[in-house]
Every structure is written in structure tokens, then in C-alpha cells.
Amino acid sequence: MSHVVIIGCGVVGAVIAYELSLVKGLKITVCDRQPPAQASTGAALGVLMGVISQKIKGKAWQMRQTSIQRYETLIPELEALTGRKIPFNRQGILMLLSDSSLEGMSVWEKLVKIRHSQGWNLEIWDTAKLQNICPQIEREKVTGAVYSPQDRQIDPTALTLALVEAAQQNGVTFKFGVTVLDAPSSTSEFCVGAARRRHRLETTEGKIAADWFVIAAGLGSTPLTAKLNQIIDIRPVLGQALQMRVGHLLGNPDFQPAITGNDIHVVPVGGGDYWVGATLEFPSNGDEIPPNQELLESIKEQAIAFCPELATATILRTWSGLRPRPEGRPAPVIGKLPGFNNVLLATGHYRNGVLLAPATAYAIREMIISQGAGE
């Protein structure tokens, strides 16, 4: 039996653990220094912008398509296994447009055609249709909208906790509050025997030997890879969000999609509550990013400009989290750590960790299976 150790239990690490738990012949351990879904996962809004994204070919589109398709089966699967309800908004994503130029509109018309040829639906709405279906939108601020009925929004924390519980039921061991202290600095320090490479990791709970290590630790991946003398440089980008209580559903109670405009999301989360976010804040000095209150206020004001009824809402809470952005290379970072055959990277997803988690898990699973699970 091959032993796979996953370091990091955000949504990416949790999906990998669950998908690998469905593979026969694997023993799986997940380590994290915090409880699950504490870092960027806990701060994410879970808006799955796949079909509505401008990615149309290659790996970037394939990963989105794979993930959107997997979520349709994964959520009922997890709910049946765990008895947990995972908030999963199947009413699509509505993107408000504020560019009325022919050039701006032709980009969307082209995308609609491409998506139809790929078997997906997208609709372009004029302001009259938008007003009829979503009367809560301030029409003066927008020139139309694009509606993506097959994109989704999910509660990332509820999803991650369900994944952990389902994976545990399938025999996965989770070790929380465990910190990695040291790792071998090169492949020469692997113990080789019986055609296997076993890699020992020093943790606060002692040494763990395994055939495979999957680094899915977000920002924690940089110090981990540094211990292996192969630094994967991942930098933090802060995002802040608000939970606002209107007390009633905005617009049509039977149609509550996630609404996005100018990169600001208004996400219904039930009971007349809405998540609004998120800011994009880069470090100015080192890796420290103090939350910028003015930016958060600006996000709120722009959301109110789109949906004036939000002006009367009560702010229940604000929160923030750091997203892991790879420096000098595209996100995410998926593949073997250079110099190591059995240290795999599944990290640096930046703003798309929740969206791309299922496709990432499939990619990691393929790497392990294709090498005979370490044999």
C-alpha cells in the first residue's frame, strides 16, 4: 500500500484527499498546522466563474470545465455521505456590463458562440430584460448583462468540512495542529528500497515516511519548498469581504444568482444575507498587508451603486484572507517539484482555489496512478 501525505487542508488539499480516498491501494494522511479551511479558503466567496470566464482553450479552460462538471456530482455525493447540507447556488452567475462599446459587446458575443460550440450556455441580456428579471439592479449604472446559468457559487468552508468528513469515512487520517519542521534537502537523502522512494518528513508529531508528498499549503508552500532547496515563490494578496443583512431577498425571490460587476461580487447566502467582496490588496513592503478600510468601503459603495437596496443593509461582519499568488509564473502551480519524482505541487491558485480544486485533484491523482502508485 502506497502512503500519500498531503500538506495543507484548505479546499485544494481537502478535495485531493477525498478524490484519492476513492483510489484503491492508497493510504492517505493530511497534515495542517491549523484546522481545515482557515486560510484563503475561509475567506473565499466561492463564486465559480468557469463558463463566464474568458478562458476558451488549453489547460486554463480544461481545468475550469472539468471542475464545473465535477461539482455537479461531487456536492450530492458529499451530502449523501455526510448528511451535511452544503450551500450550493445553482442559479448561475449574472455579470453586469458597463461597457456599451461595440468592441466590448463583440467580445461577449464571440464568447457566447464559442461556449455554444463547446456545449455550454451563455446569454446576453439588454437593460430591459435585466430590469424585468432583476429589478434590484440600478439600470443607469449598467449597459446590459451576461448570464451564465451553468456556473455556480458554493460555501467554501462548508464544502471543505464535508470533504474532510467524507474522506475520514473513506479511511483518510487527518492531523491538525501539526507543523512540518524539516525535510531532506535533495533526492540523495531519499531511502531507496524495494523499488520505492520513501521520503521522511520531520514534523512536530515526529517523522512521517511516505511514498508521495503533495504540497497543497498555499502560502505555506514557499517555506516548505525552501526546505527542499527548490523554492516555489508564492506571495500573499489580501482580500476583504462583508456580510450584509438586508432582511429580505433582493429582486425576484425565486431568482437569486451570484451577481458580479466590475470585479465586485454580491452573493446571496440565504435569509436576506449577502456576501459582498472582495478587495485586491498587494503587499507594499515585505509580505505584510494591513487591511485597507478605504478599499473595503469602496467595494461596499460600488455594490450599493449596482444594488441600491444594500444601502439600508446592516453589516454583520467583515473578514479577510490572504490568497496565494505565484511570483513570475501563472497560477496555479501543479506538477512535480523540480528534482523530486514524488513530491507534487498543488498550490498557488491565487483567486481560483475553490473553482479549480476538483481539476487539481484529478491532475494529482493522475500523476500518482500513472507511476503505479509509487511502485
Side-chain angles (χ1 to χ4, degrees), residues 193-280:
R196 287 189 181 213
R197 289 167 167 262
R198 288 187 76 81
H199 174 179
R200 290 187 183 278
L201 205 65
E202 189 91 38
T203 75
T204 46
E205 223 180 63
K207 287 182 178 171
I208 303 176
D211 304 285
W212 294 92
F213 280 82
V214 181
I215 298 175
L219 289 164
S221 303
T222 299
L224 274 172
T225 54
K227 294 177 197 295
L228 294 159
N229 289 341
Q230 291 286 350
I231 294 183
I232 303 298
D233 189 4
I234 296 175
R235 309 282 177 88
V237 177
L238 185 81
Q240 297 185 77
L242 302 151
Q243 182 165 345
M244 302 176 76
R245 174 160 292 169
V246 183
H248 60 270
L249 298 177
L250 295 172
N252 179 353
D254 296 323
F255 184 62
Q256 293 287 303
I259 295 175
T260 184
N262 196 25
D263 207 22
I264 292 159
H265 303 313
V266 177
V267 178
V269 289
D273 285 5
Y274 292 83
W275 287 347
V276 174
T279 63
L280 211 53

Coordinates of all heavy atoms in Angstrom, one line a residue, residues 193-280:
G193 N 14.5 1.5 -1.6 CA 14.5 0.1 -1.3 C 13.2 -0.5 -1.9 O 12.2 0.1 -2.0
A194 N 13.3 -1.8 -2.4 CA 12.2 -2.5 -3.0 C 11.5 -1.6 -4.0 O 10.3 -1.5 -4.1 CB 11.2 -2.9 -1.9
A195 N 12.4 -0.9 -4.8 CA 11.9 -0.1 -6.0 C 11.0 1.0 -5.6 O 10.2 1.5 -6.3 CB 11.2 -1.0 -7.0
R196 N 11.1 1.4 -4.3 CA 10.3 2.6 -3.8 C 11.2 3.7 -3.3 O 12.2 3.4 -2.8 CB 9.3 2.2 -2.7 CG 8.2 1.3 -3.2 CD 7.2 1.2 -2.0 NE 6.1 0.3 -2.4 CZ 4.9 0.5 -1.9 NH1 4.6 1.4 -1.0 NH2 3.9 -0.3 -2.3
R197 N 10.7 4.9 -3.5 CA 11.5 6.0 -2.9 C 10.6 6.5 -1.7 O 9.5 6.9 -1.9 CB 11.6 7.2 -3.9 CG 12.6 6.9 -5.0 CD 12.5 7.9 -6.1 NE 13.6 7.8 -7.0 CZ 14.7 8.6 -6.9 NH1 14.7 9.5 -6.0 NH2 15.6 8.5 -7.8
R198 N 11.1 6.4 -0.5 CA 10.4 6.8 0.7 C 11.1 8.1 1.2 O 12.3 8.2 1.3 CB 10.3 5.7 1.7 CG 9.4 4.6 1.3 CD 9.2 3.6 2.4 NE 8.2 4.1 3.4 CZ 6.9 4.0 3.3 NH1 6.4 3.6 2.2 NH2 6.2 4.5 4.3
H199 N 10.2 9.0 1.5 CA 10.7 10.3 1.9 C 10.2 10.6 3.3 O 9.1 10.4 3.6 CB 10.1 11.3 0.9 CG 10.3 12.8 1.1 ND1 9.7 13.7 0.3 CD2 10.9 13.4 2.1 CE1 10.1 14.9 0.7 NE2 10.7 14.8 1.8
R200 N 11.2 10.9 4.2 CA 10.8 11.2 5.6 C 10.7 12.7 5.9 O 11.5 13.4 5.5 CB 11.9 10.6 6.5 CG 11.9 9.1 6.5 CD 12.8 8.5 7.6 NE 12.8 7.1 7.5 CZ 11.9 6.3 8.0 NH1 10.9 6.8 8.7 NH2 12.0 5.0 7.9
L201 N 9.6 13.0 6.5 CA 9.3 14.4 6.8 C 9.3 14.5 8.3 O 8.7 13.7 9.0 CB 7.9 14.7 6.3 CG 7.6 16.2 6.0 CD1 8.5 16.7 4.9 CD2 6.1 16.4 5.6
E202 N 10.0 15.5 8.8 CA 10.1 15.8 10.3 C 9.0 16.7 10.6 O 8.9 17.8 10.0 CB 11.5 16.4 10.6 CG 11.7 16.5 12.1 CD 12.5 15.3 12.6 OE1 13.3 14.7 11.9 OE2 12.1 14.9 13.7
T203 N 8.1 16.3 11.6 CA 7.0 17.2 12.0 C 7.0 17.3 13.5 O 7.8 16.6 14.2 CB 5.7 16.7 11.5 OG1 5.3 15.5 12.4 CG2 5.7 16.2 10.1
T204 N 6.2 18.2 14.0 CA 6.1 18.4 15.4 C 5.5 17.1 16.1 O 5.4 17.0 17.3 CB 5.2 19.6 15.8 OG1 4.0 19.5 14.9 CG2 5.9 20.9 15.5
E205 N 5.0 16.2 15.3 CA 4.4 14.9 15.8 C 5.4 13.8 15.5 O 4.9 12.6 15.4 CB 3.0 14.7 15.2 CG 2.1 14.2 16.3 CD 0.7 13.9 15.7 OE1 0.5 13.1 14.8 OE2 -0.3 14.6 16.1
G206 N 6.6 14.1 15.2 CA 7.6 13.0 14.8 C 7.8 12.9 13.3 O 7.3 13.7 12.5
K207 N 8.5 11.8 12.9 CA 8.8 11.6 11.5 C 7.7 10.9 10.8 O 7.1 9.9 11.4 CB 10.1 10.8 11.4 CG 11.3 11.6 11.7 CD 12.6 10.8 11.5 CE 13.8 11.7 11.8 NZ 15.1 11.0 11.8
I208 N 7.4 11.3 9.6 CA 6.4 10.6 8.8 C 7.1 10.2 7.5 O 7.6 11.0 6.8 CB 5.2 11.5 8.4 CG1 4.5 12.1 9.7 CG2 4.1 10.7 7.6 CD1 3.4 13.0 9.4
A209 N 7.0 8.9 7.2 CA 7.6 8.3 6.0 C 6.5 8.1 5.0 O 5.4 7.6 5.3 CB 8.4 7.0 6.2
A210 N 6.7 8.5 3.7 CA 5.7 8.3 2.7 C 6.3 8.1 1.3 O 7.5 8.4 1.1 CB 4.8 9.5 2.7
D211 N 5.5 7.5 0.4 CA 5.9 7.3 -1.0 C 5.7 8.6 -1.8 O 6.4 8.9 -2.8 CB 5.1 6.2 -1.6 CG 5.3 4.9 -0.8 OD1 6.4 4.3 -0.9 OD2 4.3 4.6 -0.1
W212 N 4.7 9.4 -1.4 CA 4.3 10.6 -2.1 C 4.1 11.7 -1.1 O 3.4 11.5 -0.1 CB 3.0 10.4 -2.9 CG 3.2 9.4 -4.0 CD1 2.9 8.1 -4.0 CD2 3.6 9.7 -5.4 NE1 3.2 7.5 -5.2 CE2 3.6 8.5 -6.1 CE3 4.0 10.9 -6.0 CZ2 3.9 8.4 -7.4 CZ3 4.4 10.8 -7.4 CH2 4.3 9.6 -8.1
F213 N 4.5 12.9 -1.4 CA 4.1 14.1 -0.7 C 3.5 15.1 -1.6 O 4.0 15.3 -2.7 CB 5.3 14.7 0.0 CG 5.7 14.0 1.3 CD1 6.5 12.9 1.2 CD2 5.3 14.5 2.5 CE1 6.8 12.2 2.4 CE2 5.6 13.8 3.6 CZ 6.4 12.7 3.6
V214 N 2.3 15.6 -1.2 CA 1.6 16.6 -2.0 C 1.6 17.9 -1.3 O 1.0 18.0 -0.1 CB 0.1 16.1 -2.4 CG1 -0.6 17.2 -3.2 CG2 0.1 14.8 -3.0
I215 N 2.2 18.9 -1.8 CA 2.3 20.2 -1.1 C 1.1 21.1 -1.6 O 1.1 21.5 -2.8 CB 3.6 20.9 -1.4 CG1 4.8 20.1 -0.8 CG2 3.6 22.3 -0.8 CD1 6.2 20.6 -1.1
A216 N 0.1 21.2 -0.8 CA -1.1 22.0 -1.1 C -1.3 23.0 0.0 O -2.4 23.2 0.5 CB -2.3 21.0 -1.2
A217 N -0.2 23.7 0.4 CA -0.2 24.5 1.6 C -0.4 26.0 1.3 O -0.1 26.9 2.1 CB 1.0 24.3 2.4
G218 N -0.8 26.4 0.0 CA -0.9 27.8 -0.3 C 0.4 28.6 0.0 O 1.4 28.2 -0.4
L219 N 0.2 29.6 0.8 CA 1.4 30.5 1.2 C 2.4 29.7 2.0 O 3.6 30.0 1.9 CB 0.9 31.7 1.9 CG 0.2 32.7 1.1 CD1 -0.5 33.7 2.0 CD2 1.1 33.5 0.2
G220 N 2.0 28.6 2.6 CA 2.9 27.8 3.4 C 3.8 26.9 2.5 O 4.8 26.3 3.0
S221 N 3.5 26.9 1.2 CA 4.3 26.1 0.3 C 5.7 26.7 0.1 O 6.6 25.9 -0.2 CB 3.6 26.0 -1.1 OG 2.3 25.5 -0.9
T222 N 5.8 28.0 0.2 CA 7.2 28.6 -0.1 C 8.2 28.1 1.0 O 9.2 27.6 0.6 CB 7.0 30.1 -0.1 OG1 6.2 30.5 -1.2 CG2 8.4 30.8 -0.3
P223 N 7.9 28.2 2.3 CA 8.9 27.7 3.3 C 9.1 26.2 3.2 O 10.2 25.7 3.4 CB 8.3 28.1 4.6 CG 6.9 28.5 4.4 CD 6.8 29.0 3.0
L224 N 8.1 25.5 2.8 CA 8.2 24.0 2.7 C 9.1 23.7 1.5 O 10.0 22.8 1.7 CB 6.8 23.4 2.4 CG 6.0 23.0 3.6 CD1 4.6 22.6 3.1 CD2 6.6 21.9 4.4
T225 N 9.0 24.3 0.4 CA 9.8 24.0 -0.8 C 11.2 24.6 -0.5 O 12.2 24.0 -1.1 CB 9.3 24.6 -2.1 OG1 9.0 26.0 -1.9 CG2 8.0 23.9 -2.5
A226 N 11.4 25.6 0.3 CA 12.7 26.1 0.7 C 13.5 25.1 1.4 O 14.7 24.9 1.2 CB 12.6 27.4 1.5
K227 N 12.8 24.3 2.2 CA 13.5 23.2 3.0 C 14.0 22.1 2.0 O 14.9 21.4 2.4 CB 12.5 22.5 4.0 CG 12.1 23.4 5.1 CD 11.1 22.7 6.0 CE 10.3 23.6 6.9 NZ 11.1 24.3 7.9
L228 N 13.4 22.1 0.8 CA 13.9 21.1 -0.2 C 14.8 21.8 -1.2 O 15.1 21.2 -2.3 CB 12.6 20.5 -0.9 CG 11.8 19.6 0.0 CD1 10.4 19.5 -0.5 CD2 12.4 18.3 0.2
N229 N 15.2 23.0 -0.9 CA 16.1 23.7 -1.8 C 15.6 24.0 -3.2 O 16.3 24.0 -4.2 CB 17.5 23.0 -1.9 CG 18.3 23.2 -0.6 OD1 18.0 24.0 0.2 ND2 19.3 22.3 -0.5
Q230 N 14.2 24.0 -3.3 CA 13.6 24.3 -4.6 C 12.4 25.3 -4.3 O 11.3 24.9 -4.3 CB 13.0 23.0 -5.2 CG 14.1 22.1 -5.7 CD 14.7 22.5 -7.0 OE1 14.3 23.5 -7.6 NE2 15.8 21.9 -7.4
I231 N 12.8 26.5 -4.1 CA 11.8 27.5 -3.6 C 10.7 27.8 -4.7 O 11.1 28.1 -5.8 CB 12.4 28.8 -3.2 CG1 13.3 28.6 -1.9 CG2 11.3 29.8 -2.9 CD1 13.9 29.8 -1.3
I232 N 9.5 27.5 -4.4 CA 8.4 28.0 -5.2 C 7.9 29.3 -4.6 O 7.3 29.3 -3.5 CB 7.2 26.9 -5.3 CG1 7.8 25.6 -5.8 CG2 6.1 27.4 -6.1 CD1 8.3 25.6 -7.2
D233 N 8.1 30.4 -5.2 CA 7.9 31.7 -4.7 C 6.4 32.1 -4.8 O 5.9 32.3 -5.9 CB 8.8 32.7 -5.4 CG 8.7 34.1 -4.7 OD1 8.1 34.2 -3.6 OD2 9.4 35.0 -5.2
I234 N 5.7 32.1 -3.7 CA 4.3 32.4 -3.7 C 4.1 33.6 -2.7 O 4.5 33.6 -1.6 CB 3.4 31.2 -3.2 CG1 3.6 30.1 -4.3 CG2 2.0 31.6 -3.1 CD1 2.9 28.8 -4.0
R235 N 3.4 34.6 -3.2 CA 3.3 35.9 -2.5 C 1.8 36.1 -2.1 O 0.9 35.6 -2.8 CB 3.7 37.1 -3.3 CG 5.1 37.0 -3.9 CD 6.2 37.2 -2.9 NE 7.5 37.0 -3.5 CZ 8.2 38.0 -4.2 NH1 7.7 39.2 -4.4 NH2 9.4 37.7 -4.7
P236 N 1.6 36.8 -0.9 CA 0.2 37.0 -0.5 C -0.5 38.2 -1.2 O 0.2 39.2 -1.5 CB 0.4 37.3 1.0 CG 1.8 37.9 1.1 CD 2.6 37.3 0.0
V237 N -1.8 38.0 -1.4 CA -2.6 39.2 -1.9 C -3.8 39.1 -1.0 O -4.5 38.1 -0.9 CB -3.0 39.0 -3.3 CG1 -3.9 40.1 -3.8 CG2 -1.8 39.0 -4.3
L238 N -4.1 40.2 -0.3 CA -5.2 40.3 0.7 C -6.5 40.5 0.0 O -6.6 41.3 -0.9 CB -4.9 41.4 1.7 CG -5.9 41.5 2.9 CD1 -5.6 40.4 4.0 CD2 -6.0 42.9 3.5
G239 N -7.5 39.9 0.5 CA -8.9 40.1 0.1 C -9.8 40.3 1.3 O -9.8 39.5 2.2
Q240 N -10.6 41.4 1.3 CA -11.5 41.7 2.4 C -13.0 41.6 1.8 O -13.2 41.9 0.6 CB -11.4 43.1 2.9 CG -10.0 43.4 3.6 CD -10.1 44.8 4.2 OE1 -10.6 45.0 5.2 NE2 -9.5 45.7 3.5
A241 N -13.9 41.1 2.7 CA -15.3 41.0 2.3 C -16.2 41.4 3.4 O -15.7 41.5 4.6 CB -15.6 39.6 1.8
L242 N -17.5 41.5 3.1 CA -18.5 41.9 4.1 C -19.7 40.9 4.0 O -20.0 40.4 3.0 CB -19.1 43.3 3.7 CG -18.2 44.5 3.6 CD1 -18.8 45.5 2.6 CD2 -18.1 45.2 5.0
Q243 N -20.3 40.7 5.2 CA -21.6 40.0 5.1 C -22.6 41.1 5.5 O -22.6 41.7 6.6 CB -21.7 38.9 6.1 CG -23.0 38.1 6.0 CD -23.0 36.8 6.7 OE1 -21.9 36.2 7.0 NE2 -24.2 36.2 7.0
M244 N -23.6 41.3 4.6 CA -24.6 42.4 4.8 C -26.0 41.7 5.0 O -26.3 40.8 4.2 CB -24.6 43.4 3.7 CG -23.2 44.0 3.5 SD -23.1 45.1 2.1 CE -23.9 46.6 2.7
R245 N -26.8 42.2 5.9 CA -28.1 41.7 6.1 C -29.2 42.8 5.6 O -29.3 43.9 6.2 CB -28.4 41.4 7.6 CG -29.8 41.0 7.9 CD -29.9 40.2 9.2 NE -29.3 38.9 9.0 CZ -29.1 38.1 10.1 NH1 -29.4 38.4 11.3 NH2 -28.5 36.9 9.9
V246 N -29.9 42.4 4.5 CA -30.9 43.3 4.0 C -32.2 43.0 4.8 O -33.1 43.8 5.0 CB -31.1 43.1 2.5 CG1 -32.2 44.0 1.9 CG2 -29.8 43.3 1.8
G247 N -32.4 41.7 5.1 CA -33.6 41.3 5.8 C -34.6 40.7 4.9 O -35.6 40.1 5.4
H248 N -34.4 40.8 3.6 CA -35.3 40.2 2.6 C -34.5 39.9 1.4 O -33.4 40.5 1.2 CB -36.5 41.1 2.3 CG -36.1 42.4 1.7 ND1 -35.9 43.6 2.5 CD2 -35.9 42.8 0.4 CE1 -35.5 44.6 1.7 NE2 -35.5 44.2 0.5
L249 N -35.1 39.1 0.5 CA -34.3 38.8 -0.7 C -34.5 39.9 -1.7 O -35.5 40.5 -1.9 CB -34.9 37.5 -1.4 CG -34.8 36.2 -0.5 CD1 -35.4 35.1 -1.2 CD2 -33.3 35.9 -0.2
L250 N -33.3 40.3 -2.3 CA -33.3 41.4 -3.3 C -34.0 40.9 -4.6 O -33.7 39.8 -5.1 CB -31.9 41.8 -3.6 CG -31.1 42.4 -2.4 CD1 -29.7 42.6 -2.8 CD2 -31.7 43.8 -2.0
G251 N -34.8 41.8 -5.2 CA -35.4 41.4 -6.5 C -36.4 40.3 -6.4 O -37.2 40.1 -5.5
N252 N -36.3 39.4 -7.4 CA -37.2 38.2 -7.5 C -36.7 37.1 -6.5 O -35.6 36.6 -6.6 CB -37.1 37.7 -8.9 CG -38.0 36.5 -9.2 OD1 -38.6 35.9 -8.2 ND2 -38.1 36.0 -10.4
P253 N -37.6 36.8 -5.5 CA -37.2 35.8 -4.5 C -36.8 34.4 -5.1 O -36.1 33.7 -4.6 CB -38.4 35.7 -3.6 CG -39.3 36.8 -3.9 CD -38.9 37.3 -5.3
D254 N -37.4 34.1 -6.3 CA -37.2 32.8 -7.0 C -35.9 32.8 -7.9 O -35.6 31.8 -8.5 CB -38.4 32.4 -7.8 CG -39.6 32.2 -6.9 OD1 -39.4 31.7 -5.8 OD2 -40.7 32.6 -7.4
F255 N -35.3 34.0 -8.0 CA -34.1 34.1 -8.9 C -33.0 34.8 -8.1 O -33.0 36.1 -8.1 CB -34.4 34.7 -10.2 CG -33.3 34.8 -11.2 CD1 -32.7 33.6 -11.6 CD2 -32.7 36.0 -11.6 CE1 -31.6 33.6 -12.5 CE2 -31.6 36.0 -12.5 CZ -31.1 34.8 -12.9
Q256 N -32.1 34.1 -7.5 CA -31.1 34.7 -6.7 C -29.7 34.2 -7.1 O -29.0 33.5 -6.4 CB -31.3 34.3 -5.2 CG -32.6 34.9 -4.6 CD -32.4 36.4 -4.3 OE1 -31.5 36.8 -3.6 NE2 -33.3 37.2 -4.9
P257 N -29.3 34.7 -8.3 CA -27.9 34.3 -8.8 C -26.8 35.1 -8.0 O -27.1 36.1 -7.4 CB -27.9 34.7 -10.2 CG -28.8 35.9 -10.3 CD -29.9 35.6 -9.2
A258 N -25.6 34.6 -8.1 CA -24.5 35.5 -7.7 C -24.4 36.6 -8.8 O -24.4 36.3 -10.0 CB -23.2 34.7 -7.6
I259 N -24.3 37.8 -8.3 CA -24.2 39.0 -9.3 C -22.8 39.5 -9.2 O -22.2 39.7 -8.1 CB -25.2 40.0 -8.9 CG1 -26.6 39.4 -9.2 CG2 -25.0 41.3 -9.8 CD1 -27.8 40.4 -8.7
T260 N -22.2 39.8 -10.3 CA -20.8 40.4 -10.3 C -20.8 41.5 -11.3 O -21.4 41.5 -12.3 CB -19.8 39.3 -10.6 OG1 -18.5 39.9 -10.5 CG2 -20.0 38.7 -12.0
G261 N -20.0 42.6 -11.0 CA -19.9 43.7 -11.9 C -18.6 44.4 -11.4 O -18.4 44.7 -10.3
N262 N -17.8 44.8 -12.4 CA -16.5 45.5 -12.1 C -15.7 44.8 -11.1 O -15.1 45.4 -10.2 CB -16.8 46.9 -11.7 CG -15.6 47.8 -11.7 OD1 -14.7 47.6 -12.5 ND2 -15.6 48.8 -10.9
D263 N -15.7 43.4 -11.1 CA -15.0 42.6 -10.2 C -15.4 42.6 -8.8 O -14.7 42.3 -7.8 CB -13.5 42.9 -10.3 CG -12.6 41.7 -9.9 OD1 -13.1 40.5 -10.0 OD2 -11.4 41.8 -9.5
I264 N -16.7 43.0 -8.6 CA -17.3 43.1 -7.3 C -18.4 42.1 -7.3 O -19.3 42.1 -8.1 CB -17.8 44.5 -6.9 CG1 -16.5 45.4 -6.7 CG2 -18.6 44.5 -5.6 CD1 -16.9 46.8 -6.8
H265 N -18.5 41.2 -6.3 CA -19.5 40.1 -6.2 C -20.5 40.5 -5.1 O -20.2 40.9 -4.0 CB -18.8 38.8 -5.8 CG -17.8 38.3 -6.8 ND1 -17.9 38.4 -8.2 CD2 -16.5 37.9 -6.6 CE1 -16.8 37.9 -8.7 NE2 -15.9 37.6 -7.8
V266 N -21.8 40.2 -5.4 CA -22.9 40.3 -4.5 C -23.5 38.9 -4.5 O -24.1 38.5 -5.4 CB -23.9 41.4 -4.8 CG1 -25.1 41.3 -3.8 CG2 -23.3 42.7 -4.9
V267 N -23.2 38.2 -3.3 CA -23.6 36.7 -3.3 C -24.7 36.5 -2.3 O -24.5 36.7 -1.1 CB -22.3 35.9 -2.9 CG1 -22.6 34.5 -2.8 CG2 -21.2 36.2 -3.9
P268 N -25.8 36.0 -2.7 CA -26.9 35.6 -1.8 C -26.5 34.4 -0.9 O -26.0 33.4 -1.5 CB -28.1 35.3 -2.6 CG -27.5 35.0 -4.0 CD -26.2 35.7 -4.1
V269 N -26.6 34.5 0.4 CA -26.3 33.3 1.2 C -27.5 32.9 2.1 O -27.3 32.1 3.0 CB -25.0 33.6 2.1 CG1 -23.8 33.6 1.2 CG2 -25.1 34.9 2.9
G270 N -28.7 33.4 1.7 CA -29.9 32.9 2.4 C -30.4 33.9 3.5 O -29.6 34.6 4.1
G271 N -31.7 33.8 3.7 CA -32.3 34.6 4.8 C -32.1 36.1 4.6 O -32.1 36.9 5.6
G272 N -31.9 36.6 3.4 CA -31.8 38.1 3.2 C -30.4 38.6 3.5 O -30.2 39.8 3.6
D273 N -29.4 37.6 3.6 CA -28.0 38.0 3.8 C -27.2 37.9 2.5 O -27.5 37.0 1.7 CB -27.3 37.1 4.9 CG -27.8 37.4 6.3 OD1 -28.7 38.2 6.5 OD2 -27.2 36.7 7.2
Y274 N -26.2 38.8 2.4 CA -25.4 38.8 1.1 C -24.0 39.0 1.5 O -23.6 39.8 2.4 CB -25.9 39.9 0.2 CG -27.3 39.6 -0.4 CD1 -28.4 39.9 0.4 CD2 -27.4 39.0 -1.6 CE1 -29.7 39.7 -0.1 CE2 -28.7 38.8 -2.1 CZ -29.8 39.1 -1.4 OH -31.1 38.8 -1.9
W275 N -23.1 38.2 0.8 CA -21.7 38.5 0.9 C -21.3 39.5 -0.2 O -21.8 39.4 -1.3 CB -20.9 37.2 0.7 CG -20.9 36.2 1.8 CD1 -21.4 36.4 3.1 CD2 -20.5 34.8 1.7 NE1 -21.3 35.2 3.8 CE2 -20.7 34.3 3.0 CE3 -19.9 34.0 0.7 CZ2 -20.4 32.9 3.3 CZ3 -19.6 32.7 1.0 CH2 -19.8 32.2 2.3
V276 N -20.5 40.4 0.2 CA -20.0 41.4 -0.8 C -18.5 41.5 -0.7 O -17.9 41.6 0.3 CB -20.6 42.8 -0.5 CG1 -20.1 43.9 -1.4 CG2 -22.2 42.8 -0.6
G277 N -17.9 41.4 -1.9 CA -16.4 41.5 -1.9 C -15.9 41.2 -3.3 O -16.7 41.0 -4.2
A278 N -14.6 41.1 -3.4 CA -13.6 41.3 -2.4 C -12.6 42.2 -2.9 O -12.4 42.4 -4.1 CB -13.0 39.9 -2.0
T279 N -11.8 42.8 -1.9 CA -10.8 43.7 -2.3 C -9.6 42.9 -2.9 O -9.5 41.7 -2.8 CB -10.3 44.5 -1.1 OG1 -9.7 43.6 -0.1 CG2 -11.4 45.4 -0.5
L280 N -8.7 43.7 -3.5 CA -7.5 43.1 -4.0 C -6.3 44.0 -3.5 O -6.1 45.1 -4.0 CB -7.5 43.1 -5.6 CG -6.8 42.1 -6.4 CD1 -7.2 40.7 -5.9 CD2 -7.1 42.2 -7.9

